[in-house]
Amino acid sequence: MTARTFDRIKLNRNNRFYILVLNVCKLIWQSTLPDKNKEGKYEFIDFTEDEFCMNAVFERFLMNFCKQHCKEEYPEAHREEIDFKLTPYGMMFKEQVEEARRVLPVMQTDITLFNPSTNKKHILDAKYYREALVSKYAGNKKIRREHLSQILSYVMNQENPQKPETMNADGTLVYPTVADDFDFSYSYGDTNHHIHVRTINLNQPWQKIEERVKEIVKMEGIARQKPCF
């Protein structure tokens, strides 16, 4: 059996209620290794120690939550591919230009939310890390530079003057935590874009977690006007 065994299973509306069970089975299978000390036995690895695995779980949780509980605010929730706004130049031959285009990577968002009736667009980037903020040489804790660059790149490269929603899109970094929540919001230059950094405290009742996620997704209580100081 391989991970592809699970991927080959076709789900439809008649059996889609098995998807949770299948995903749990896949997670258990991926987290099981042969026991070094007992032949024919297996041991379960604590997947919560695997940041890559937990990031995938956290990302899937946010996506499914948005699809189920935020339909009114954002009817559409999906992953979006975004091209870098880079145009090849300085090459004499068409083949060179085409190759230069091919080598450019494509960005893919974790979650893109969109409401076609209001032209509201919100990009969420799920980040599962033990510490949302980091410090260097025991200095003040700061947002991770690479995460901020990534969400900014999503927001700026998705712009298309022919699509109004892209010119007003917001981006949010979302971190899980078991400590206190924090909320940081920034306007980007003279654009209509806003960047947010949010945490979800998972060490609380699920009702509170639900309230918090809705607050983050819908950006409740956040004024879009720029600061006056």
Side-chain angles (χ1 to χ4, degrees):
M1 178 183 288
T2 67
R4 290 186 178 181
T5 303
F6 295 96
D7 297 332
R8 292 194 190 103
I9 300 174
K10 301 299 182 182
L11 296 173
N12 53 54
R13 57 179 155 185
N14 296 320
N15 63 4
R16 61 185 178 186
F17 47 84
Y18 288 117
I19 189 169
L20 176 60
V21 176
L22 287 171
N23 284 335
V24 171
C25 291
K26 183 178 180 180
L27 180 61
I28 293 174
W29 182 85
Q30 291 176 328
S31 303
T32 304
L33 289 177
D35 192 325
K36 297 178 182 178
N37 303 315
K38 298 179 181 179
E39 186 175 350
K41 299 292 183 180
Y42 293 84
E43 58 181 353
F44 186 72
I45 300 172
D46 185 1
F47 62 86
T48 61
E49 298 298 319
D50 185 340
E51 287 190 344
F52 179 82
C53 178
M54 290 304 295
N55 193 81
V57 171
F58 183 56
E59 176 189 323
R60 184 67 62 86
F61 158 70
L62 284 179
M63 173 68 86
N64 289 334
F65 184 95
C66 291
K67 287 182 176 180
Q68 293 295 322
H69 302 287
C70 302
K71 293 180 181 179
E72 184 176 349
E73 186 76 14
Y74 292 104
E76 298 180 16
H78 59 275
R79 294 174 70 92
E80 176 187 11
E81 289 192 350
I82 301 173
D83 294 318
F84 282 96
K85 286 189 171 182
L86 295 173
T87 303
Y89 78 98
M91 284 157 267
M92 295 179 60
F93 303 104
K94 181 179 178 181
E95 293 78 8
Q96 293 176 309
V97 174
E98 291 176 350
E99 182 181 5
R101 287 198 181 103
R102 284 198 303 270
V103 298
L104 287 174
V106 176
M107 295 175 281
Q108 188 175 62
T109 64
D110 289 344
I111 306 160
T112 293
L113 304 172
F114 177 54
N115 188 328
S117 63
T118 61
N119 280 331
K120 289 176 62 178
K121 185 177 181 180
H122 190 182
I123 298 173
L124 302 180
D125 199 26
K127 298 296 185 186
Y128 185 93
Y129 282 77
R130 294 186 182 280
E131 293 186 17
L133 304 179
V134 293
S135 61
K136 189 174 182 180
Y137 308 122
N140 294 330
K141 289 191 174 183
K142 298 182 181 295
I143 302 168
R144 295 172 188 264
R145 182 185 295 108
E146 62 273 22
H147 294 176
L148 200 55
S149 296
Q150 185 177 21
I151 193 68
L152 278 171
S153 188
Y154 288 161
V155 171
M156 300 312 298
N157 283 280
Q158 59 84 53
E159 281 191 339
N160 182 346
Q162 304 302 317
K163 298 180 179 180
E165 71 275 9
T166 67
M167 307 306 292
N168 299 284
D170 282 357
T172 300
L173 293 171
V174 186
Y175 296 89
T177 182
V178 293
D180 296 329
D181 289 322
F182 59 70
D183 300 274
F184 302 130
S185 294
Y186 308 89
S187 57
Y188 185 75
D190 294 326
T191 71
N192 290 321
H193 300 302
H194 295 79
I195 302 298
H196 313 282
V197 184
R198 301 283 186 264
T199 55
I200 301 172
N201 189 342
L202 300 180
N203 188 29
Q204 57 183 340
W206 67 265
Q207 295 93 336
K208 293 292 185 181
I209 296 175
E210 180 179 356
E211 289 176 8
R212 177 61 175 172
V213 179
K214 287 182 178 179
E215 180 182 280
I216 291 171
V217 170
K218 299 179 180 181
M219 294 182 288
E220 295 174 349
I222 301 174
R224 287 190 62 88
Q225 66 265 25
K226 296 184 178 180
C228 56
F229 50 85

